[in-house]
Amino acid sequence: MSKVLVTGGSGFLGSHCIVQLLQAGHDVRATVRSACRASVVRDMVRQGGAGPDTRLDIVVADLGADAGWAEAVAGCDHVLHTASPFPPGTPKHEDELIVPAREGTLRVLRAARAAGVRRVVLTSSFAAIGYGHAKLAHPLDESSWSRLESGSTAYVKSKTLAERAAWDFVAAEGRGLELVVINPVGIFGPVLGPDYSSSIALVKRMLDGQVSACPQLHFGVVDVRDVAELHLRAMTNPQAASQRFLASAGDCVSMLAVAQMLRAGLGETATLVPTRQLPNWLVRLAARFRPELRQLLPELGKVKHLSNRKARSVLGWQPRVDAEAVIATAESLVRMGLLGAR
């Protein structure tokens, strides 16, 4: 067993990584942005069923500053770098997201190299793989990189540039530090606390009746428990070194299909979930008056085919089906009392 640093310990994915590491017998150190988040992490770990957390140490380290990172990585064999800035809305300038993502990743890698860490597993995103492509004759996989065009969102740019910076750093200055990158699609699954991904927020909005109809959007689905497991497999498997792994339960699904999964699996709890699909022209019209819809426009009607073959064949990964991840999301929102008044 080893000592593992998990950055972003109070995050949706980070908390699940901590749970699985403790259950596997590892000692874990987790970073939080401020000391008040430590109790949140411990509550999430208990909610995840990891039992006594005496092997969990929580320290303060912010991706935007050097302070605390040398102490955070000291004595660790591996780092799971799951932390990443994700603002609730579109930033006024793309550099507000790009610079912290890139510099935060490099800050963690420098600290890991200096401390003699063996391997860093970096959580990147499908955003670094699947955007800016013309219609492809083959499924998107780890060999694909997003093409950053004038219409690329700040988030797509931030994830792509941060991952490229990580690979460049390890190649030029790594001095033996190993890097593995996980590129998840939309992460669903059981929430352990108040911090969760934008994918979870979509399910919550559907269940709360805040989505009247579904735009013609398609995306990949993966369960957070499977993404955490993939991080652990990538951390220890010798064949994973210097590799990327696309984490998706299967091919992409439509937003309407997710709504149908919720209705089929939740019964009366899903009575407010939409049943209709919006025509693209109506979404484009609405975007003239609602700026938050504008970032959806380039993706309307695009179907992206995905392949998770590499993670399955190299690491023996066997993810849950997408419907199980979506339903587990909804059930946990109900269990945690996170849905609106009904």
Side-chain angles (χ1 to χ4, degrees), residues 86-92 97 154 292 295:
F86 196 123
T90 303
K92 292 182 180 180
L97 190 54
E292 71 274 14
Q295 60 183 342

Side-chain angles (χ1 to χ4, degrees), residues 37-180:
R37 306 291 293 169
S39 61
V40 174
V41 176
R42 295 193 184 277
D43 288 344
M44 295 172 82
V45 168
R46 284 190 285 270
Q47 181 69 29
D53 54 7
T54 55
R55 286 179 289 106
L56 172 61
D57 179 27
I58 302 175
V59 299
V60 176
D62 191 304
L63 288 175
D66 291 334
W69 285 107
E71 295 80 7
V73 297
C76 291
D77 304 290
H78 304 98
V79 174
L80 304 187
H81 180 35
T82 72
S84 180
F86 196 123
T90 303
K92 292 182 180 180
H93 191 281
E94 61 184 17
D95 282 347
E96 294 176 27
L97 190 54
I98 294 171
V99 173
R102 182 182 61 229
E103 295 307 311
T105 296
L106 292 175
R107 182 167 281 114
V108 172
L109 289 172
R110 291 189 188 103
R113 180 197 61 192
V117 169
R118 293 203 298 268
R119 180 177 292 183
V120 173
V121 181
L122 167 66
T123 311
S124 182
S125 171
F126 178 70
I129 288 178
Y131 290 81
H133 301 287
K135 190 173 182 180
L136 299 175
H138 56 82
L140 290 158
D141 60 18
E142 296 82 359
S143 65
S144 307
W145 280 91
S146 289
R147 298 179 179 178
L148 302 184
E149 304 167 330
S150 59
S152 299
T153 67
Y155 181 69
V156 168
K157 289 182 179 179
S158 73
K159 300 306 289 189
T160 304
L161 294 174
E163 185 187 338
R164 285 199 177 276
W167 286 117
D168 290 344
F169 172 83
V170 169
E173 306 176 49
R175 301 175 197 163
L177 176 66
E178 294 179 347
L179 177 66
V180 186

Side-chain angles (χ1 to χ4, degrees), residues 173-194:
E173 306 176 49
R175 301 175 197 163
L177 176 66
E178 294 179 347
L179 177 66
V180 186
V181 173
I182 308 297
N183 299 81
V185 293
I187 303 180
F188 295 77
V191 300
L192 302 181

Side-chain angles (χ1 to χ4, degrees), residues 229-247:
E229 180 198 341
L230 189 55
H231 278 68
L232 268 65
R233 288 176 178 265
M235 181 182 82
T236 57
N237 192 310
Q239 296 182 66
S242 303
Q243 300 295 321
R244 305 171 91 197
F245 294 95
L246 173 58

